[in-house]
Amino acid sequence: MDILDILLSASFWAAAIRIASPLIFATLGELICERAGVLNLGIEGIMVAGAFSGWIAVWAGLPLWGGVAVAMLTGMAFGLLHATLSVPFGLSQHVVGIGLTLLATSLTFYTYRVVLPEVSSPPKIEAFQPYEIPLLADLPLIGPALFSQTPLTYAAFLLAAICAYTLYRTPVGLAVRAAGENPSAVAAQGLSVTAIRMGAVITGSGFMAVGGAFLTLSAFDSFFFDMVNGRGWICIALVVFGAWRPGKAVLGAILFAAFDALQIRLQQTAIGTLVPYQLFLMLPYILSILALVVMSRRAEVPAALMVPFNKGER
């Protein structure tokens, strides 16, 4: 009954949507990269850099949306580095991505210590506040869950719709998907595979950084170390879970977030007094792994994913 009461409460689903929002941004960014044929393992570091740069920009005096823009530009800068090394130079995408995560994370921590050398606890900012959409917010269960969120959450779902439309209804989306499936056909049409892949990585990295900025500008009101806490790696799994489709990837993010919100609430019930809390912390990851195993068996990986392309070579 405790679990049923939790699942039928509006506050539970509101929390799940809130937890899913940064995952949606970052998962869409990773999906765009992989659709173009590039695996971006720098996502964890890019999210950390986005969380810090957006927060420090607002703390320095920029408006909240200015902080979001700074975070996105920071992510795009790291994406440019990743794209340059992995696309025209053809270096290992695994090595470049992990190296980028280490670079972005270390550079963020170093910058934090330089900017705030004497601060024992990070200063707080005025974060995004929930905005209730008139009429829709009054709907039972769905209203408080979906239509009483912060503007960045609405932006996450809007971005998902834009990505889905762009990938499947526009020439740009067709070019991106073709670059990840059959780059030789793209080159035969007179298009630059290198430019398409670099553009996808730069754009996707910007979205990843906005996902990190959500944590400091919307979910919380400050920056602290380890706040990303592996979300980037989860997003890579969500791309596979969603079979490289934006709609399914968003559903996967919500599913993982629901598992996370559930384990937090289960610790506060009678069950939580009988079971070690570490088992609850494992719950969302165990259930996500099982779901990933089931879904990935039918997933079709982009044929040219992680395959370097050199014009004129077969």
Side-chain angles (χ1 to χ4, degrees):
M1 290 302 297
D2 288 337
I3 296 177
L4 184 60
D5 290 339
I6 291 173
L7 294 178
L8 293 178
S9 66
S11 61
F12 167 77
W13 289 107
I17 296 297
R18 184 171 60 252
I19 295 171
S21 297
L23 301 178
I24 292 173
F25 278 115
T27 299
L28 291 173
E30 181 66 30
L31 186 147
I32 291 172
C33 294
E34 294 191 21
R35 269 297 192 175
V38 180
L39 175 66
N40 191 344
L41 294 182
I43 182 172
E44 183 80 4
I46 292 173
M47 290 185 71
V48 173
F52 173 76
S53 60
W55 167 76
I56 201 68
V58 174
W59 179 75
L62 285 182
L64 288 170
W65 287 110
V68 174
V70 169
M72 186 167 187
L73 290 174
T74 301
M76 294 176 73
F78 282 110
L80 176 61
L81 176 60
H82 188 296
T84 302
L85 295 175
S86 61
V87 179
F89 291 140
L91 301 182
S92 169
Q93 295 177 13
H94 296 92
V95 175
V96 171
I98 294 175
L100 189 66
T101 284
L102 296 174
L103 172 65
T105 303
S106 302
L107 188 60
T108 296
F109 293 163
Y110 172 77
T111 306
Y112 179 92
R113 293 303 183 190
V114 170
V115 176
L116 301 168
E118 305 296 333
V119 174
S120 57
S121 60
K124 297 182 181 297
I125 61 171
E126 187 67 31
F128 282 105
Q129 297 300 311
Y131 173 76
E132 294 187 357
I133 298 179
L135 300 180
L136 295 178
D138 297 328
L139 296 174
L141 185 61
I142 298 177
L146 292 178
F147 304 113
S148 298
Q149 299 286 346
T150 64
L152 271 184
T153 294
Y154 301 136
F157 284 93
L158 177 61
L159 179 63
I162 292 173
C163 286
Y165 179 82
T166 302
L167 282 175
Y168 293 101
R169 293 292 186 270
T170 67
V172 173
L174 177 61
V176 170
R177 289 187 289 121
E181 294 288 349
N182 191 348
S184 298
V186 175
Q189 294 295 319
L191 301 176
S192 172
V193 176
T194 298
I196 293 171
R197 287 185 168 181
M198 289 189 67
V201 173
I202 293 171
T203 303
S205 298
F207 295 158
M208 297 172 192
V210 174
F214 181 95
L215 299 174
T216 51
L217 302 182
S218 188
F220 305 101
D221 56 3
S222 186
F223 174 83
F224 52 89
F225 300 121
D226 299 326
M227 72 183 313
V228 174
N229 196 28
R231 286 179 173 86
W233 310 123
I234 292 297
C235 291
I236 295 176
L238 289 175
V239 173
V240 180
F241 176 85
W244 290 269
R245 293 180 176 274
K248 291 183 178 180
V250 169
L251 291 177
I254 296 175
L255 181 63
F256 176 84
F259 291 154
D260 198 10
L262 179 62
Q263 65 88 10
I264 294 174
R265 282 158 174 77
L266 285 179
Q267 293 184 48
Q268 303 168 0
T269 64
I271 300 176
T273 61
L274 303 175
V275 180
Y277 77 93
Q278 290 88 349
L279 293 179
F280 291 109
L281 295 176
M282 293 167 56
L283 179 64
Y285 299 96
I286 294 174
L287 295 177
S288 297
I289 290 173
L290 293 176
L292 183 62
V293 169
V294 173
M295 296 298 295
S296 62
R297 297 173 69 90
R298 294 175 290 179
E300 296 183 4
V301 183
L305 180 62
M306 295 185 293
V307 179
F309 176 78
N310 296 310
K311 189 174 182 180
E313 293 186 1
R314 292 184 177 274

